[in-house]
Amino acid sequence: MDAVKLAELKRFISQCRSNPSILHNPSLAFFKSYLQSLGARIPPDPKTDKVRDDMEDTKEHIDTKKHDTLGEDDAIVESDIELDDSDVVEPDIDPPQKMGDPSVEVTEEMQDAAQAAKSRAMTAIFEGMAFSCCELDEAIDHITEAIILNPKSAIFYATRASIFVKLKKPSAAIRDANAALEINPDSAKGYKIRGMARAILGHWEDAASDLHVASKIDFDEEIGLVLKKVEPNARKIEEHRRKYERLRKAREARKAERERQRQSEAEAQESLSALKDGEVIGIHSVGELETKLNAASKTSRLTILYFTATWCGPCRIISPLYVNLAGKYPKVVFLKVDIDEARDVAARWNISSVPTFFFIRNGKEIDKVVGADKNALESKIAQYAGSA
């Protein structure tokens, strides 16, 4: 067979390996049928699978949105990102390439031989600029020889990585770029080639990061060209991430607010259970008074604190009115303290005469009535209960 045609066939086979989807091209239907007749397994058409997956994803997305509309969790379904991945390939699965032994003591003769091997590799690369696989494979062999002879040269690894990029073998290129950067963390070519390899894999953010580092160390036009494709994709991914991060934070804030509301409602309900609508509640200790005042504050209720004594004549006259007012204003908390029974409470409030009525809101005294003044008592209750 003609050597040129054989080289073209090898290049075509290499392209099929790196991108099997080309076998679904209608113009290659005869070749696809031939391969199947030999029992070959043809990978499914990713475009057909994508359409099917998109239909399933759309149905799932609609079902999820319908479910989320009814629920309170507000689950977030992320939309797809439209990226330019026309040149993206699957990771190469070839066995890892030969790497040098960093513990080897490199002599001057080995360095010279390594440089000679590199020169042969560069010649083969130049001859393979038309992407002839034969010349590029030959270049790989020569630069590998240079790496074995001098495994401490970052430029050798970076050069082989660049050849793997030309061969569309990004995984191998990344391994070599990592080796170059381990030897020389400031290797511009190491960052550049790794960025290009990551771009081939569609790892846009990592690719952009490497290429920006490379451009800071030693910018060249090729880096700028690759960045023109990489940066838009990386920005879209970053904007997508920020958008959904904001949505997730808003969702968490809503959940936290709902939890606070539930907690507040539970505390309010518990507080209400400690209060008796339309009744006068007897207080027998400071602790009991604090409990009732806290319950009233949590429910934003006006509280009347009535100090009395069994021996007090005016108290006996006004007490029935106090009971009636409790029934008339069921949302007002009516408390009653016998100063002889609860001396600690009377002392805390500095009671010097009875009857005395304190008007309390949110734990603070806002007014009081001293003496059995029925009109003043009822008037102030109506005033403050109405402003609640």
Side-chain angles (χ1 to χ4, degrees), residues 79 92 114 125 157 193 209 212 233 264 272 284 288 380:
S79 61
D92 42 298
I125 293 174
Y157 282 107
I193 299 302
S209 176
H212 281 300
N233 284 341
S264 178
L272 284 174
H284 308 93
E288 189 176 0
K380 288 184 181 295

Side-chain angles (χ1 to χ4, degrees), residues 198-368:
R198 285 173 165 175
I200 294 174
L201 289 172
H203 300 169
W204 305 112
E205 290 182 294
D206 291 336
S209 176
D210 278 344
L211 292 169
H212 281 300
V213 173
S215 67
K216 289 179 181 178
I217 298 173
D218 185 15
F219 178 80
D220 62 43
E221 292 183 1
E222 189 175 20
I223 295 175
L225 290 174
V226 179
L227 278 172
K228 285 183 178 180
K229 179 172 183 177
V230 169
E231 281 190 316
N233 284 341
R235 278 197 297 269
K236 286 180 180 179
I237 295 171
E238 178 62 22
E239 290 168 0
H240 179 88
R241 181 185 298 109
R242 289 179 179 175
K243 170 185 175 181
Y244 285 95
E245 183 62 26
R246 288 195 299 269
L247 290 175
R248 278 187 284 271
K249 287 182 178 179
R251 176 193 176 199
E252 291 302 317
R254 290 195 299 271
K255 288 177 66 176
E257 180 59 27
R258 285 197 296 267
E259 182 59 32
R260 283 193 294 270
Q261 289 178 356
R262 280 195 288 264
Q263 184 67 25
S264 178
E265 289 170 1
E267 291 176 356
Q269 190 60 39
E270 183 180 353
S271 298
L272 284 174
S273 65
L275 306 175
K276 300 176 182 179
D277 290 356
E279 298 181 23
V280 175
I281 303 172
I283 299 298
H284 308 93
S285 67
V286 171
E288 189 176 0
L289 175 60
E290 291 300 322
T291 298
K292 300 303 180 185
L293 290 178
N294 287 336
S297 295
K298 289 178 180 178
T299 54
S300 301
R301 291 195 172 190
L302 173 68
T303 302
I304 314 299
L305 181 56
Y306 167 36
F307 286 94
T308 183
T310 55
W311 45 263
C312 171
C315 296
R316 289 193 294 270
I317 295 173
I318 204 167
S319 285
L321 174 64
Y322 192 67
V323 173
N324 290 336
L325 290 172
K328 184 177 180 179
Y329 298 95
K331 299 304 180 182
V332 176
V333 180
F334 288 81
L335 305 179
K336 180 179 178 180
V337 181
D338 188 315
I339 62 172
D340 294 320
E341 181 184 350
R343 295 179 182 276
D344 55 344
V345 179
R348 177 74 63 89
W349 285 80
N350 298 317
I351 301 303
S352 58
S353 64
V354 289
T356 297
F357 302 87
F358 291 96
F359 293 76
I360 304 167
R361 176 165 286 140
N362 296 325
K364 296 181 179 180
E365 177 187 340
I366 58 175
D367 208 340
K368 71 177 180 178

